[in-house]
Amino acid sequence: MTPYDDTPAQAAAPLIDGFGRTVRYLRVSVTDRCDLRCVYCMAEHMTFLPKAQVLTLEELDRIASAFVSLGTRKLRLTGGEPLVRKGVMGLVRGLSRHLASGALDELTLTTNGTQLGAFAGELADAGVRRINVSLDTLKPDLFRQLTRGGDLGKVLAGVAAAQAAGLAVKINAVALRDANAAEIPDLIRWAHGQGCDMTLIETMPMGEVDVDRTDEFLSLKDVRRELESFWTLEDIPLTTGGPARYVRVAETGGRLGFITPLSHNFCDTCNRVRLTCTGTLHTCLGREDATDLRAVLRAGASDAELADAIRAAVLAKPQGHDFRIVPRGASVSRHMSTTGG
Ligand code: SAM
Ligand code: SF4
C-alpha cells in the first residue's frame, strides 16, 4: 500500500442536496463477498465481482477521505462482510487518521461477527468504538439455515471478543415472518442482557434472492404492537438522522430501534449516502440512482475534480425511496451485499 497522506482534511462547504439535507454520513461497502449466505440477502450461488471492478484499498481510502474533507462526520464500513476483505485493517487504520485529526466523529462497521474473534482488538486499537453485529436468531440450527451454513457459536464468541475489547455492540436483526418472529422477544431480552442496544429491520426488496419476499415480510408495526402487549416501550428522542426510531424497553432497561423503510417514510431527515465496493455512489438506498466514482478516479481526477463529482451526485439525491415488496423479485435490482446495508 502507498503511504497515506496525513494532511488534515480541509474544511470545505458541507455536502447539501437539492432538498436542503446535509450529508454527513457515508457507508462504504468494502467487498461484495461474504462468508455467509443469508437467505434474504444473497442467492445460494452468488456470482461475485471480478477483482478489477472492485476498488483497491487505496481507492476506497481516497474516496472516503474526499467525503471527510467535504464534511462527512461518520464513516461506516460494510459489505458483503467487511472483515473478509484482505487487508481491511490497513484501511481501518488509515481512515482512523481522520479520527485523530478531529475531522471525523466516528469510524464504525457493520459485521456478521464471524471474524470478530480475530479483529476486535485491532478495531478498538484503531479508534473504533461501536460496531453493529447482525444476528437474527440464537438457535444454532435456525442460524445455520438462515445463513446457509453459518456457525452461531463463532458469532457469539465474536460479540464477546468485541465487548472484551471495549467495543459497544448493537445487535441488528431482520424480522422474518416465519423464521424468527416468535423469537424476537427472546433476542431483545438476550441483547439487552448483554448490555447491547438492539435494532429490528424490516426486509427490504433488494436484489433477486431465492425466496418469496411477500412470505417473509413482517411489518414492524405488528411486531411493536405485539411487544407492547407485554412490555412498556417508551419513545426516546435518539435520532441518528437515519431510518431508526428508538424506544426504551422499561422491563429490560435496554434500547430498541425499529428500521421501517416500507411502512414508515424516513426520507425527509436522511443524511446518508452509500458507496459500493465498485465505487458507485448511491445517494438513496431505494432508488436506482448511481454515480460512477471509480471512473472518475481511474480517469486520473484531481482531488478537486473528485470533490466536484461527489457534490454533483449529492445535489441530485432523490427526495425519497421507492420500495415496494415484489414477489421473488426486487424493486431495486442491486443486492444489499453490493450496496452495503
Ligand atoms: N455482512 C455484514 C452483516 O451482515 O452485518 C454487513 C453487510 S449486511 C448486507 C448489512 C445488513 O443488511 C445486515 O444487518 C443484514 O441483515 C441486512 N440485510 C441484508 N439484506 C437485507 C434485506 N433484503 N432487507 C433488510 N435487511 C437486509
Ligand atoms: Fe453476508 Fe451480511 Fe449478506 Fe448475511 S447479510 S449474506 S452476513 S452480507
Side-chain angles (χ1 to χ4, degrees):
M1 283 172 74
T2 53
Y4 289 111
D5 171 10
D6 58 2
T7 44
Q10 296 300 305
L15 286 169
I16 300 185
D17 75 7
F19 300 93
R21 296 168 296 191
T22 304
V23 168
R24 296 205 179 276
Y25 179 7
L26 174 69
R27 292 191 179 214
V28 182
S29 174
V30 301
T31 179
D32 63 328
R33 287 161 201 263
C34 187
D35 53 347
L36 302 179
R37 295 285 182 279
C38 301
V39 291
Y40 47 76
C41 177
M42 292 195 182
E44 187 162 11
H45 302 287
M46 291 287 288
T47 310
F48 292 109
L49 294 161
K51 201 171 164 205
Q53 287 188 24
V54 176
L55 295 182
T56 64
L57 296 171
E58 288 80 1
E59 288 172 326
L60 284 166
D61 182 282
R62 184 156 175 229
I63 296 180
S65 298
F67 272 90
V68 173
S69 74
L70 293 170
T72 291
R73 303 293 310 179
K74 178 169 172 179
L75 285 179
R76 176 178 297 278
L77 305 185
T78 177
E81 173 48 40
L83 295 179
V84 304
R85 172 84 195 245
K86 208 168 156 210
V88 71
M89 283 312 306
L91 178 68
V92 173
R93 279 192 298 272
L95 290 172
S96 73
R97 71 191 184 279
H98 301 304
L99 292 171
S101 76
L104 196 61
D105 294 329
E106 186 170 37
L107 175 60
T108 183
L109 80 162
T110 299
T111 172
N112 64 26
T114 61
Q115 314 288 320
L116 279 173
F119 291 116
E122 278 185 81
L123 288 168
D125 288 347
V128 173
R129 293 287 166 260
R130 303 190 298 167
I131 57 171
N132 290 353
V133 176
S134 303
L135 181 59
D136 304 328
T137 178
L138 292 168
K139 298 176 182 166
D141 290 343
L142 180 59
F143 185 82
R144 200 172 304 118
Q145 186 190 323
L146 284 177
T147 58
R148 298 196 186 94
D151 175 1
L152 175 67
K154 250 181 157 177
V155 177
L156 297 182
V159 170
Q163 291 187 309
L167 300 174
V169 175
K170 179 158 78 72
I171 302 293
N172 284 344
V174 174
L176 301 163
R177 197 170 77 186
D178 293 325
N180 69 357
E183 197 193 339
I184 287 174
D186 287 341
L187 259 173
I188 297 169
R189 221 178 271 115
W190 172 81
H192 289 173
Q194 305 288 311
C196 300
D197 288 343
M198 164 123 203
T199 298
L200 297 171
I201 308 172
E202 267 174 7
T203 52
M204 292 178 238
M206 300 193 67
E208 296 279 336
V209 292
D210 305 325
V211 288
D212 186 338
R213 294 180 196 281
T214 48
D215 282 351
E216 278 188 293
F217 180 73
L218 173 62
S219 164
L220 290 186
K221 263 191 196 145
D222 295 342
V223 174
R224 185 171 174 151
R225 200 172 305 122
E226 160 81 10
L227 294 176
E228 280 173 330
S229 71
F230 48 86
W231 279 343
T232 312
L233 307 186
E234 300 154 351
D235 281 313
I236 46 177
L238 180 71
T239 154
T240 57
R245 295 290 171 265
Y246 284 89
V247 298
R248 183 170 301 283
V249 180
E251 288 77 3
T252 63
R255 286 193 300 206
L256 175 65
F258 297 89
I259 300 187
T260 53
L262 296 165
S263 58
H264 178 86
N265 198 303
F266 52 81
C267 304
D268 43 328
T269 56
C270 179
N271 67 351
R272 60 190 62 191
V273 296
R274 291 174 165 80
L275 182 73
T276 70
C277 59
T278 57
T280 302
L281 183 67
H282 293 293
T283 58
C284 178
L285 185 58
R287 292 268 180 176
E288 298 283 4
D289 83 292
T291 301
D292 184 358
L293 294 180
R294 183 186 64 196
V296 176
L297 273 195
R298 293 188 181 173
S302 65
D303 287 351
E305 287 164 340
L306 177 58
D308 285 347
I310 292 171
R311 277 194 193 287
V314 167
L315 195 61
K317 181 172 162 68
Q319 189 169 15
H321 68 64
D322 186 26
F323 283 129
R324 296 173 304 277
I325 288 282
V326 185
R328 247 175 240 290
S331 68
V332 173
S333 58
R334 57 185 189 264
H335 282 263
M336 189 70 117
S337 53
T338 313
T339 314

